[in-house]
Amino acid sequence: MLTELLQGADAGGFVIIQDSIRCSGRHLLKSFINAALHREEAVHVLGFEVDEEELKDGVKGSAIDRVHFHNAYTDPLGWTDHPAFTVHQFCLEELTHLVKQSSHSRPATLVIDSLSWILRHRSPTAVCKTLHQLRKGGAVRAIIALLHADMHQKGTEGSVCHLATSVITIAPGMNGDQAVAKITKRSKSGKVMQDEEIFNINEDFTVIVQSKLGPKNTPTEEKEVDPTANLTFNLRLSDTERKAKEKLALPFVFSKEKKTALLHSGPGSGRILYEPDSNDDYDQEDPDDDLDV
Amino acid sequence: MAAPMSGVGKPSVTSFQKKTRSKLISIAGTRPSVQNGQLLVSTGVTSLDYLLGGGLAVGTVLLIEEDRYDSYSRMILKYFLAEGVVCRHELFVAAAQDNPDDILQELPAPILDDIAIHKPAEQPRLSSEPQESLDAMKIAWRYQNLPKVQSALASSCRFGHYYDVSKTMEPEIRQAAKFHRFYVPEHPTQSSPTHSTMPESYSALLKSLQEVIHREGFDLAAPMSNSRNILRIGLHSLGSALWGDDLCCHDNPKNGHSLTTFLYGLRALLRSSLSVAVVTVPSHLIQDRALMGSITRLCDNAIALESFKGSERETNPLYKDYHGLLYVRQIPHLNCLASKLPDHKDLAFKLKRKQFTIERLHLPPDLSETVSRVSRGELSGAAAVASACGSVTSGNKHLDF
């Protein structure tokens, strides 16, 4: 599922990468950026935690000019006179303006590094509202955010993840360079899919999925047992026997005309009016359904 | 049991009219409770109606504590609204995350009988059908033309209907219902309302509700006319961050009493009008259990849903037939001393295509070898080693014949 997410978030998607101090999610974030650049999209990065060079390190050649880095690293709270991007500018109007002025006709992906930083300086309700409006607004096609799970109260983290369409939780893996990703994806129809994968990130930020650990509910396959086998008597029908069975004239089988005459009975025949009450919570799964009579 | 028919275009089978007592208001889709005479409406899920004592009393609030991914609580809300459409009640939907119009688009299709109320095109089809369907049933051909559902009454006379989740309700049926909406992003709030006890969205919602109730004549104080109707109110995900409430975000919320104040106002509004409300709250995000307790007390009926998806219970073989557990937190006692709580506390639910079933969860008998019995085997095993004449092997410790 990780590769699907990387290859194309559907429009209006909101992906949250949850990491912790044990395992950083920034490499996976850079993989997402690279994948978006591959798709010829414009990427807008709100960088609060690392500076421009470090984030752009690893992005190849010509794609660099499609990455618009909004520098919130040098002066995020606006202490100097001319801040590049402050945390107070994280609201719908400013962000839409920012995105529209730099990416002309391409679909834009907004990458937030990191959402934890914004949550520490703005109220969670305002942040949630802005994210929700951004998703519905249409100025950006997809939003990818990094969230440090150990920095927030459970309620805050839960509220923000509740808004997301996919949440990827990263934990350290067995080997040094491997990590385990637990992915929860909510589709538009309300279905929830979960997966757990071990992955590796290369030098050029492509992700290799090593193996899938989940999904946890692997259905156990049961072989269909043929009940007519291994019996001392014969329960099967040969072809001639089956044809004879079908040819058999059943009692009370009438000709077509008589059937239609009987079916379209005239008015005045008795009708049964029945109102099912609470005891008749009827069940469609009739156990006698499979009787092939 | 004969009942008056109100289907359009259907010849009335009986001329028997039930003599209605003048005291009880007879509104479509409601019936008096057998326990305390309250007017009840169906929630749309017949098993839930049974748990709540026959249905939801008019003038009360049902609180649904959402499951983790809000799939089943949303489903129950949709059932509630779909029931309102089928019974010709009016609807009021308020939501912060999804547009109320989108919620209405997703309502499940009711399983109606083959009575052509809304689809006049169905009648000519019936005459041409017997040609091919005569071959369909070889032995039971007399039953071919009868509708599949046993009941032949028009659907709006029944209490509680069944819905097919795989199909959405047809637009003609949906548009016949009157619908009021409240979508939070459409009511912009001024920034920094920190001095008020309620976030602006809640007070705006209460005002809107009051205005709708008064304007459409659901007030009990309004003069009694013959045609009264019920207003069904569905409030989705109240208390979440998108309503402007920090109840779910902080462990010690600043305006912790905003939702409780709102619920108090809502209940007062409902008690004086012919309406019924279903409220869903994402309780898994609320860390303060005492606050959750007071929210439960302020609503009349309260149930909680816990879905197995994503938890370790998913692989537990005990739960393999079900989608989640259901807890009944509270049942009101209206005009009586005590209410009838359901007998069994362990309830599990399952969303099937045509029904949302709530069943009692029982453990299957434990037939495994490791079931704990009085370990006489160990004693006899020790003795057998000494005497060396028994056939006790280590695997058969628990079987003693």
Side-chain angles (χ1 to χ4, degrees):
Chain A
M1 214 187 279
L2 195 54
T3 34
E4 284 155 25
L5 279 176
L6 277 167
Q7 267 150 23
D10 6 55
F14 178 23
V15 179
I16 289 189
I17 302 173
Q18 258 192 339
D19 65 352
S20 63
I21 199 156
R22 285 156 53 215
C23 183
S24 167
R26 191 156 285 111
H27 297 285
L28 191 60
L29 190 71
K30 287 199 206 172
S31 311
F32 268 92
I33 297 178
N34 264 9
L37 288 172
H38 263 302
R39 287 195 303 269
E40 309 282 323
E41 283 177 8
V43 176
H44 290 261
V45 182
L46 299 180
F48 286 93
E49 285 190 359
V50 291
D51 80 326
E52 187 163 354
E53 284 156 33
E54 199 180 323
L55 202 69
K56 280 192 179 172
D57 173 40
V59 175
K60 296 175 284 265
S62 66
I64 282 227
D65 49 359
R66 266 183 278 134
V67 177
H68 306 275
F69 187 85
H70 303 285
N71 185 8
Y73 177 70
T74 45
D75 185 19
L77 293 173
W79 287 341
T80 61
D81 286 331
H82 305 285
F85 187 85
T86 65
V87 81
H88 306 290
Q89 282 177 286
F90 186 76
C91 61
L92 182 67
E93 300 86 23
E94 300 262 355
L95 283 173
T96 331
H97 176 69
L98 212 60
V99 169
K100 282 221 160 71
Q101 78 183 152
S102 5
S103 69
H104 307 281
S105 56
R106 290 180 220 270
T109 303
L110 182 68
V111 173
I112 305 177
D113 177 14
S114 65
L115 201 55
S116 296
W117 221 100
I118 306 179
L119 279 170
R120 287 195 71 77
H121 292 274
R122 307 268 328 245
S123 74
T125 44
V127 174
C128 287
K129 208 170 258 193
T130 310
L131 287 169
H132 180 63
Q133 283 166 340
L134 270 176
R135 272 189 67 198
K136 303 276 174 184
V140 291
R141 190 171 159 271
I143 308 175
I144 305 167
L146 187 62
L147 185 72
H148 303 303
D150 36 14
M151 268 175 76
H152 303 286
Q153 293 175 350
K154 273 197 67 106
T156 315
E157 180 208 326
S159 303
V160 175
C161 292
H162 197 66
L163 287 177
T165 51
S166 321
V167 178
I168 308 173
T169 309
I170 303 197
M174 303 289 185
N175 309 345
D177 48 355
Q178 280 183 352
V180 178
K182 281 202 190 103
I183 308 164
T184 309
K185 187 165 169 206
R186 276 209 272 191
S187 64
K188 280 203 177 73
S189 58
K191 233 180 84 131
V192 175
M193 288 173 284
Q194 291 196 318
D195 213 354
E196 200 174 314
E197 291 172 353
I198 303 181
F199 69 99
N200 221 335
I201 302 189
N202 289 341
E203 286 291 329
D204 58 349
F205 296 108
T206 48
V207 173
I208 304 179
V209 177
Q210 302 283 23
S211 69
K212 283 169 154 261
L213 286 183
K216 291 208 186 109
N217 50 340
T218 46
T220 49
E221 283 173 8
E222 288 172 18
K223 265 179 38 181
E224 283 272 326
V225 176
D226 186 12
T228 54
N230 299 332
L231 293 171
T232 51
F233 41 89
N234 181 24
L235 275 183
R236 297 200 185 105
L237 290 175
S238 71
D239 279 333
T240 43
E241 285 168 353
R242 197 174 293 132
K243 279 192 205 124
K245 175 185 158 191
E246 277 161 20
K247 275 210 205 101
L248 183 66
L250 298 166
F252 301 107
V253 167
F254 299 126
S255 63
K256 258 199 175 140
E257 295 78 26
K258 196 163 180 195
K259 269 190 196 172
T260 43
L262 280 170
L263 277 173
H264 294 293
S265 46
S269 60
R271 297 198 58 137
I272 303 171
L273 299 169
Y274 177 67
E275 189 178 278
D277 58 24
S278 61
N279 288 336
D280 299 308
D281 221 353
Y282 80 104
D283 195 346
Q284 288 285 63
E285 287 155 10
D286 190 349
D288 295 322
D289 235 353
D290 54 354
L291 286 178
D292 191 6
V293 182
Chain B
M1 187 166 84
M5 309 283 284
S6 62
V8 170
K10 181 127 185 45
S12 71
V13 175
T14 171
S15 59
F16 177 72
Q17 293 283 330
K18 200 153 67 168
K19 184 171 168 197
T20 50
R21 274 114 141 264
S22 49
K23 278 209 182 137
L24 289 171
I25 326 167
S26 67
I27 309 173
T30 67
R31 71 166 180 204
S33 158
V34 293
Q35 284 156 21
N36 49 16
Q38 291 283 333
L39 202 61
L40 297 178
V41 294
S42 169
T43 52
V45 182
T46 37
S47 356
L48 191 59
D49 283 343
Y50 175 67
L51 277 182
L52 297 176
L56 209 48
V58 171
T60 58
V61 181
L62 168 64
L63 173 77
I64 303 179
E65 293 184 31
E66 288 177 9
D67 50 311
R68 184 162 288 275
Y69 300 109
D70 191 24
S71 9
Y72 300 105
S73 43
R74 204 187 154 99
M75 200 65 236
I76 298 187
L77 189 66
K78 285 193 276 188
Y79 272 122
F80 177 70
L81 296 171
E83 182 71 27
V85 173
V86 173
C87 297
R88 321 263 178 88
H89 295 161
E90 288 193 25
L91 303 178
F92 184 105
V93 182
Q97 191 165 8
D98 305 298
N99 203 325
D101 296 323
D102 294 337
I103 298 181
L104 266 214
Q105 302 276 354
E106 295 169 9
L107 292 185
I111 302 176
L112 296 171
D113 314 323
D114 298 302
I115 298 171
I117 297 181
H118 299 283
K119 274 178 122 187
E122 222 166 7
Q123 267 155 353
R125 187 164 66 91
L126 212 56
S127 54
S128 60
E129 223 186 3
Q131 310 310 20
E132 61 268 16
S133 65
L134 270 179
D135 305 88
M137 291 197 192
K138 231 166 129 193
I139 295 179
W141 52 269
R142 284 179 202 266
Y143 292 97
Q144 256 158 220
N145 285 351
L146 291 181
K148 285 217 170 122
V149 183
Q150 283 172 0
S151 158
L153 295 178
S155 47
S156 55
C157 282
R158 264 169 42 186
F159 185 83
H161 302 89
Y162 294 98
Y163 298 90
D164 190 346
V165 172
S166 55
K167 300 186 218 150
T168 51
M169 197 181 261
E170 275 141 36
E172 301 103 47
I173 310 181
R174 206 191 321 134
Q175 274 144 23
K178 210 156 167 213
F179 162 61
H180 309 275
R181 54 199 290 285
F182 183 92
Y183 186 36
V184 174
E186 288 169 8
H187 296 253
T189 63
Q190 288 85 37
S191 51
S192 72
T194 44
H195 55 279
S196 64
T197 46
M198 272 205 269
E200 303 240 343
S201 44
Y202 289 153
S203 38
L205 175 59
L206 260 186
K207 280 201 194 85
S208 171
L209 266 173
Q210 191 177 32
E211 194 237 341
V212 165
I213 288 177
H214 191 69
R215 188 183 64 206
E216 305 287 333
F218 293 108
D219 249 337
L220 281 175
M224 284 285 197
S225 60
N226 261 354
S227 63
R228 299 308 292 268
N229 208 349
I230 305 266
L231 177 68
R232 287 192 184 226
I233 303 170
L235 306 177
H236 181 249
S237 223
L238 225 52
S240 70
L242 290 172
W243 280 92
D245 196 0
D246 64 349
L247 200 63
C248 296
C249 301
H250 295 139
D251 286 349
N252 296 319
K254 262 190 298 249
N255 34 353
H257 296 291
S258 47
L259 184 58
T260 44
T261 319
F262 170 78
L263 285 173
Y264 192 66
L266 176 70
R267 214 162 63 142
L269 207 55
L270 292 185
R271 288 286 199 268
S272 60
S273 64
L274 282 174
S275 34
V276 66
V278 167
V279 176
T280 66
V281 167
S283 66
H284 55 97
L285 296 173
I286 298 178
Q287 307 299 321
D288 189 352
R289 298 326 295 173
L291 198 49
M292 199 57 228
S294 56
I295 291 174
T296 311
R297 293 282 174 281
L298 279 170
C299 299
D300 302 295
N301 306 276
I303 61 171
L305 296 173
E306 181 191 326
S307 97
F308 293 146
K309 188 90 203 174
S311 72
E312 62 274 3
R313 296 196 196 192
E314 204 171 359
T315 46
N316 195 332
L318 293 174
Y319 297 134
K320 66 173 160 53
D321 289 329
Y322 300 105
H323 288 144
L325 298 176
L326 187 134
Y327 304 100
V328 176
R329 301 268 193 234
Q330 188 176 251
I331 304 268
H333 37 97
L334 305 160
N335 303 333
C336 53
L337 277 177
S339 53
K340 183 179 185 310
L341 285 169
D343 302 330
H344 7 275
K345 304 281 191 290
D346 300 312
L347 300 163
F349 65 86
K350 185 178 168 90
L351 177 63
K352 296 195 272 210
R353 190 167 79 97
K354 294 206 173 162
Q355 209 183 9
F356 184 97
T357 38
I358 301 172
E359 287 165 17
R360 182 176 172 191
L361 180 70
H362 29 235
L363 299 175
D366 194 0
L367 295 169
S368 65
E369 295 243 321
T370 56
V371 69
S372 60
R373 296 190 196 156
V374 176
S375 52
R376 283 192 308 216
E378 275 154 329
L379 296 171
S380 63
V385 166
S387 66
C389 64
S391 57
V392 176
T393 58
S394 56
N396 291 343
K397 236 197 295 194
H398 297 286
L399 296 172
D400 44 24
F401 292 108

